[in-house]
Every structure is written in C-alpha cells, then in structure tokens.
Amino acid sequence: MKITSRYLTFETNPGNACLNVNIYDGDELIEQVFTHLGEGEVKYFVDMQEYIGKDLRIEVTKCTSLWQRYPEAYLTEEKIQDRYKYIRCEDSYETEFDANKYRPYVHFTTQRGWVNDPNGCLYYDGVYHLYYQHCPGAPYAMWDNNHWGHAWSRDLITWTEAEPILRYPHAASGTGFINRENGKACITHGYMIFESDDGGYHYKFKSVNTAGNGDPKILFIDEFNKYFSITLRDITSYTIASSPDLVNWQHESDIEGFRECPEMVKYQIEGTNEYKWVLNGGDGAYQIGEFNGHEFIPDPIDPDRLDKYVYVMNATKTFSNKYNGSYVNYNYDDEWDRFGTYAHQNFDSAPDGRKIRIAWYPIRYTSICGMPFNQAMTIPCELKLRNCGLGLRLCAMPVDEIKNYYRETKRVEGDNPELKFDSGKCFDCEIEMNVGSTLFARDYEFRYNEETSMLTITPPDKVEFDVPCVPYDGKIKIRALFDIMIAEFFIGQGEVYVPLKPELPDQNGVFIEINGTGKIEINKIKK
C-alpha cells in the first residue's frame, strides 16, 4: 500500500475478534497494531507522516497476546483477507459520533486507543514534551504493541498530539534528559539511548547504556560531573550506575524496596538554603535523603508518623519505611479499583528550576461511556519540598498555568456556606473549613476526626477511607480539581494527594457546601 496521507486508519467493530495488523518497510517491521477490523463507526489510526510516499507492506494475522488480553482470532484465511478493505489512508481520523463528549478538559488523553506510563518527559526550547506508552488500535490494546506516543505543550494544559517518536517494538518505559555536551534532547529505555536533532520531535539511536535494564532514569549531576543511571534491578529494587560520557558505565550501588519507574530529584527546601534529594517509585512512595555520588542515603523516618505508606499493589504491601505522597482508596479488594496514579515522572530541565510532575491516571473511559480513548494523565503538578504540618514533605499542587483557563470565579465564606455553578464540567476549587465542619463537594463528603488526625473521604460509591490531615490555624485546607470524570484532591499544602475513581459521565455543574464555618472559591475552567 502506498502511504498517500498522514494517517493509516482502521475501521473497527468491537464485536469482531481482534487481529494483528503488521506494517513493514521492506523486511523491517515498523509497527504492529491490535484492532477489531470490520465495518463500524469507530476508527483507530497510526500516524504515518514520516512514511508518506512510501510503499509499505500490510499484513493481517490472527491475534496473539503475551498479556492474554484478547480472545484468539480463530478466523479462516478467507475471512482475514476480507478485512483488508477496512484499512485506508486518510488525512483525518474523525468519527461520526462525538468522540470528545467525555474527554477531559485539562487532563491529557490520546485521540484514540490506550495510553499508560508517561515516558521521557522533558522541556526543550519553550516546549514541554510528553512521551507515553501508547497502543493505537483499540481502547484495550494495552502493552502488547506499545510504542512511544508524543504530545507537546507550551503551557502544560493544552496539548498537541504528534507522530510517535519510537514505534513498535519499542515497548519499554524510560525517561528523558538533556545531553550536557551538546545540549540535545535525549530519551532512554531499556539499554538504549536516543538523541534528537530537532528539539524532541524525532530521535535516532545514540549509544548503549550497559548498566541499563527496565525503566531507566538518567540524570546529570553537576556536583559529581557525571551522568547517573537508575534502573530496575528487579520489580522492587533499583541499581545505580555512573558514567562520564553516556557510554562507559560503572556500578555504584543498589536500592531495595521501590517499585518500578525510578525518579530522583534534588530539591531546595522551601524558604531555606538547604537541599535534599528525593527518591520515588512508580506508585508515589518516596524517601528524602542525601546522595553522595555512590548511594542514596535516606533520612531517618519516624515510625509513628501519620502518613505511613499505603500500598497500591500487593507487591508493595509491606513497604512502610517511606512517605506516601499519593493516596488511594485501599479499601477496594480489587487492585485495579484502588489503583490511584502510577509512573510519576518529572519534566527534565523545566525552566526556572521548577519541578513539574505528571503521572498515569488509570481511568477506564471506554468501559464506562464508550469513548475511543482509554486512560489519562494526571494534571501536571509543581512539586515543592516544604516543612508542613506533617513535617518535611514533598508537596504537590496543580501548575499555575491552569489559572489562565479560569473563565468565571465565585467566592463565599461564613457559616454554612454553599456555592454552585449550574453548568460546566471542569472546576478548580479551593476550600477552607473549621475543624468540626463537614464538607460536601459534588458527590464527595469530607469529615475530619480530631482524635486520629485523619480526614475521612466518602466517594460516590460510599467506600470511604482515611487520609492523614493536619489543620493549619484550626482550618482544614482542600483543593479539589473536578474534570470530566476525574476528581483530584490536594490536602493541606499539597502534602497529601488523593486521585480518585471517575465520576459518572453525566455530571454537569458543581455544588459545594460546608456544614459549619469556612470559605469556598470555585473557578470554572474552559478552553
């Protein structure tokens, strides 16, 4: 097939068995897509911009899944041949139905297909680049045929989806960084390092990280004039190595008790001239400490602290010697239902020394409302290491750029305040209430227990749970960000982050009230 347009599209019908669509440039397999080929109103696509004008070989085969996510397609060869007619070259991938009806306003989602871990996040020449694991062919085509999708933004709120930077079979997680010798953007996954000549839009292979493995994190530390690589030793431990040139690597140390997606960043303690290193894993667990060029040395942790680590997955159930920056509803029996956010990653080289983080938000849009996209990213948050009510903690708040999208603001305070918007689907709310009050925000209830210093949260499904909370001058502070089917809560000064399961898609407007004394500010968001 000659590629005559930007997109290779696949007309699909979810009632059909899933098939592999293999795309070859000569003998090289450049992409594999799992999709339900057949007459239907939903289209999925692969961005083939770099192949326009080329003749590519398209092969449709029975589906095989290493993750056993799809039924085997026991189709005759004749029936498989009939499915080729549903593959086309098109300039757009619009569908007849409203594919954006339940798309979030300020949380990134891919146009079509499955998305999970953010990879290689970096800032270069005025642009934030978000790379992510993406399977384009169907909303449940996860992990088997990952490539690195790409979206870019100048303000972290409005994203433009671009062509992928690494195609299948580049399936591994990784990170991004800036080469200190030539100033070029780089990404890494597995044992491989790639470099960009155009500021992050295309990459080519550069070198091998011989110390690499899964989920590599590479950073340059001025103090030691070296690059450091943190990779998986196994599912719950890391290995640290160093290199002067991204080619020759030396093992330094090992770290136990963190799960996947390592991130290590140096922070200035807010309001002081002191600095600390923070090491975190994919599920948000973190430690504060020192790094001496060989090993990460965690500071002592009070065993009786309020914010003991609450596990997300069974593999991290016993890890209590860390802080928990990202709380989930651990009262759900099913791991997926209590899955909060994952693969927390900072944007390397963000301007003005800012520390900006984004993570995968596992929200199953398709299973709820029939959208052609599945999963999302969290709101980008600015991180600060600050002394707060719980002690020295890593605190997160939505980036200030979100305020540029405020379209209307309402405020009220006093006894039993209440405030509402009758329309709109995205709101940023700041709430203060006196201890002893009860907050009702949309379909969520918040009650503070002075004896336990815990804030009880009751979500719409009534499966309540507790998060640590320390009052400030006798007041409980909560920032609530409601997007379409998304609810994120930031407690206190951001020391506790609570991402929750999606709301019902037919929510419209917002109503907040406090039984007691307090104040409410609601900012309506629209692009």
Side-chain angles (χ1 to χ4, degrees):
M1 175 183 289
K2 181 178 283 293
I3 304 301
T4 57
S5 304
R6 177 172 178 177
Y7 300 106
L8 193 63
T9 62
F10 312 97
E11 189 175 347
T12 67
N13 186 324
N16 292 338
C18 203
L19 292 165
N20 286 340
V21 179
N22 303 314
I23 306 170
Y24 292 87
D25 183 8
D27 293 330
E28 180 187 2
L29 178 63
I30 60 170
E31 183 66 276
Q32 182 183 80
V33 180
F34 289 12
T35 194
H36 306 271
L37 286 175
E39 184 177 359
E41 64 176 359
V42 182
K43 293 178 184 177
Y44 292 90
F45 70 94
V46 173
D47 192 326
M48 305 300 291
Q49 182 167 286
E50 63 186 288
Y51 294 98
I52 291 177
K54 275 197 165 190
D55 287 308
L56 302 181
R57 179 163 59 93
I58 311 297
E59 177 187 71
V60 179
T61 64
K62 296 177 182 179
C63 173
T64 56
S65 169
L66 295 175
W67 296 89
Q68 300 179 342
R69 299 287 179 180
Y70 322 107
E72 292 291 332
Y74 294 109
L75 300 177
T76 65
E77 189 62 32
E78 181 181 357
K79 288 184 177 180
I80 289 177
Q81 289 296 319
D82 184 59
R83 301 295 169 87
Y84 279 90
K85 65 186 179 185
Y86 299 108
I87 303 173
R88 308 181 184 96
C89 284
E90 299 188 37
D91 289 320
S92 69
Y93 47 85
E94 294 300 321
T95 54
E96 295 178 1
F97 74 105
D98 186 359
N100 295 314
K101 184 175 181 181
Y102 299 124
R103 190 181 296 280
Y105 277 68
V106 295
H107 293 76
F108 174 77
T109 54
T110 191
Q111 288 296 312
R112 300 287 187 275
W114 170 274
V115 60
N116 57 286
D117 295 7
N119 294 315
C121 302
L122 57 83
Y123 175 88
Y124 191 93
D125 193 24
V127 175
Y128 293 92
H129 293 276
L130 170 64
Y131 311 117
Y132 47 89
Q133 292 191 33
H134 175 44
C135 298
Y140 291 104
M142 50 184 172
W143 302 324
D144 286 284
N145 64 339
N146 270 354
H147 62 260
W148 279 31
H150 177 206
W152 60 269
S153 175
R154 295 190 182 277
D155 69 357
L156 295 162
I157 304 297
T158 297
W159 295 91
T160 299
E161 197 165 348
E163 61 186 299
I165 58 166
L166 296 175
R167 295 184 180 274
Y168 175 86
H170 294 289
S173 290
T175 52
F177 62 97
I178 303 301
N179 187 316
R180 290 305 180 95
E181 283 68 48
N182 58 25
K184 293 182 179 181
C186 294
I187 57 171
T188 178
H189 77 81
Y191 291 89
M192 294 184 284
I193 298 172
F194 300 81
E195 190 173 80
S196 176
D197 291 327
D198 61 2
Y201 297 91
H202 301 86
Y203 285 84
K204 61 184 179 183
F205 176 74
K206 175 180 173 60
S207 63
V208 172
N209 174 2
T210 56
N213 199 349
D215 300 1
K217 164 70 179 180
I218 291 181
L219 67 160
F220 186 88
I221 302 179
D222 293 313
E223 180 181 353
F224 308 108
N225 197 32
K226 289 181 182 178
Y227 293 96
F228 289 86
S229 168
I230 311 173
T231 62
L232 300 190
R233 185 177 172 215
D234 55 38
I235 195 68
T236 56
S237 67
Y238 302 154
T239 287
I240 297 179
S242 65
S243 172
D245 54 11
L246 295 174
V247 176
N248 301 290
W249 293 90
Q250 174 181 317
H251 177 267
E252 297 289 353
S253 61
D254 297 315
I255 303 170
E256 299 290 338
F258 281 90
R259 181 187 172 94
E260 300 184 321
C261 305
E263 182 69 87
M264 190 171 75
V265 179
K266 189 175 184 179
Y267 291 84
Q268 183 174 2
I269 300 175
E270 187 178 50
T272 76
N273 293 320
E274 292 184 69
Y275 290 82
K276 287 285 186 180
W277 285 91
V278 176
L279 176 68
N280 71 260
D283 52 6
Y286 70 92
Q287 288 181 329
I288 302 168
E290 307 290 342
F291 182 66
N292 61 11
H294 302 286
E295 60 180 340
F296 177 82
I297 305 168
D299 291 347
I301 292 179
D302 180 1
D304 296 323
R305 67 197 184 282
L306 280 174
D307 53 339
K308 290 183 178 180
Y309 176 55
V310 177
Y311 67 94
V312 176
M313 299 177 173
N314 285 331
T316 55
K317 189 171 183 178
T318 60
F319 296 168
S320 60
N321 61 335
K322 301 176 185 65
Y323 299 111
N324 180 36
S326 179
Y327 269 78
V328 298
N329 192 336
Y330 50 88
N331 288 327
Y332 292 110
D333 292 330
D334 184 80
E335 283 192 357
W336 185 277
D337 284 338
R338 68 167 174 261
F339 211 72
T341 55
Y342 201 71
H344 297 77
Q345 187 171 125
N346 287 36
F347 284 87
D348 189 84
S349 302
D352 303 319
R354 297 175 74 188
K355 307 297 190 292
I356 299 171
R357 182 182 73 188
I358 196 168
W360 169 31
Y361 208 149
I363 296 176
R364 292 171 285 183
Y365 288 97
T366 299
S367 64
I368 295 173
C369 56
M371 291 288 96
F373 57 90
N374 203 349
Q375 314 296 302
M377 296 294 169
T378 62
I379 192 70
C381 289
E382 186 157 0
L383 302 178
K384 296 183 183 294
L385 191 60
R386 56 167 56 119
N387 283 295
C388 61
L390 292 173
L392 184 61
R393 297 291 188 272
L394 189 62
C395 299
M397 282 290 182
V399 292
D400 282 346
E401 285 86 343
I402 195 172
K403 296 176 182 178
N404 295 328
Y405 294 87
Y406 290 176
R407 294 295 176 260
E408 186 179 353
T409 298
K410 294 182 180 181
R411 300 181 183 88
V412 66
E413 63 179 298
D415 294 332
N416 301 314
E418 59 181 52
L419 199 58
K420 71 175 180 176
F421 276 88
D422 291 324
S423 64
K425 292 182 179 291
C426 188
F427 304 92
D428 191 1
C429 315
E430 297 205 34
I431 302 154
E432 282 189 10
M433 63 179 184
N434 286 0
V435 170
S437 302
T438 301
L439 168 68
F440 300 92
R442 224 171 213 180
D443 293 327
Y444 297 83
E445 179 182 325
F446 299 79
R447 305 183 313 277
Y448 181 66
N449 186 322
E450 290 188 73
E451 292 184 4
T452 62
S453 297
M454 289 288 176
L455 185 68
T456 299
I457 302 175
T458 307
D461 61 11
K462 308 305 180 184
V463 183
E464 66 180 31
F465 66 112
D466 295 333
V467 300
C469 180
V470 176
Y472 292 87
D473 298 325
K475 296 179 174 58
I476 305 300
K477 296 183 178 183
I478 300 171
R479 184 168 176 179
L481 181 59
F482 296 110
D483 202 347
I484 299 175
M485 294 176 60
I486 283 178
E488 291 175 283
F489 300 102
F490 304 83
I491 312 300
Q493 297 183 42
E495 60 267 30
V496 174
Y497 167 56
V498 187
L500 291 180
K501 294 171 62 180
E503 301 179 63
L504 296 175
D506 57 356
Q507 290 275 6
N508 195 41
V510 66
F511 177 70
I512 298 177
E513 65 175 328
I514 297 173
N515 286 351
T517 302
K519 61 182 179 180
I520 306 166
E521 176 181 303
I522 303 178
N523 300 284
K524 186 176 182 179
I525 295 173
K526 186 127 183 176
K527 290 185 179 180

